[in-house]
């Protein structure tokens, strides 16, 4: 079944159009962490992308109004965590404004370069920040992977239509 685009009634570009279109785009769920001046910070991200294999670079977006932005804007290193289906609650905690993101039940430890590393994730990486590129009301952070572990058990958590989901068989 294919849908034919209705070219007679397109919507003009707007923040609502962009949000509506991207609600239909399924994305993997990650949590980005960093060491802040007053403790660890982190946020849920669906904007994680691989940029380059050589050198190993990735990128993610963050709003300049996000509570984690001040720490991310100054951090030399960040943690990138790929969440599993079993971590919907963790994803929601790190997405919620004002939440105690690193309090119980969040399990984590201080990792290399002082980066907070979350327990029980599908995969994690510690990355050195290379650039923060202005992009409207966000910044695109480009970082080089320094080390990590891709061997966590489980299946990935996805975000689609404003909800967290698992893969279907």
């Amino acid at each position: 079944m294919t849908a034919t685009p209705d070219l007679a009634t397109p919507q003009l570009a707007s923040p609502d159009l962009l949000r509506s279109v991207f609600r239909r785009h399924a994305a993997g769920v990650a949590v980005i962490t960093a060491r802040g001046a007053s403790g660890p910070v982190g946020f849920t991200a669906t904007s994680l992308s691989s940029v380059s294999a050589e050198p190993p670079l990735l990128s993610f977006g963050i709003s300049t109004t996000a509570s984690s932005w001040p720490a991310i804007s100054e951090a030399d290193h960040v943690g990138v965590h790929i969440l599993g289906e079993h971590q919907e609650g963790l994803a929601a905690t790190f997405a919620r404004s004002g939440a105690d993101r690193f309090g119980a039940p969040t399990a984590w430890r201080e990792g290399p370069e002082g980066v907070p590393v979350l327990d029980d994730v599908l995969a994690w990486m510690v990355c050195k920040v290379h650039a923060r590129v202005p992009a409207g009301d966000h910044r695109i952070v480009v970082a080089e992977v320094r080390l990590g572990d891709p061997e966590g058990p489980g299946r990935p958590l996805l975000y689609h239509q404003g909800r967290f989901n698992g893969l279907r068989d």
Side-chain angles (χ1 to χ4, degrees), residues 4-93:
T4 303
D6 183 358
L7 299 178
T9 58
Q11 296 179 28
L12 292 176
S14 70
D16 287 338
L17 174 63
L18 185 70
R19 286 185 197 102
S20 293
V21 169
F22 272 89
R23 276 189 202 103
R24 300 183 67 90
H25 174 70
V29 181
V31 168
I32 311 298
T33 61
R35 179 175 51 190
S38 57
V41 301
F43 66 99
T44 299
T46 57
S47 60
L48 182 65
S49 294
S50 171
V51 173
S52 167
E54 187 58 43
L57 298 174
L58 58 79
S59 70
F60 59 87
I62 180 172
S63 172
T64 56
T65 62
S67 61
S68 297
W69 171 241
I72 299 289
S73 74
E74 306 223 347
D76 291 330
H77 293 83
V78 294
V80 177
H81 308 82
I82 308 300
L83 300 190
E85 289 177 326
H86 63 288
Q87 295 179 303
E88 184 177 330
L90 184 68
T93 295

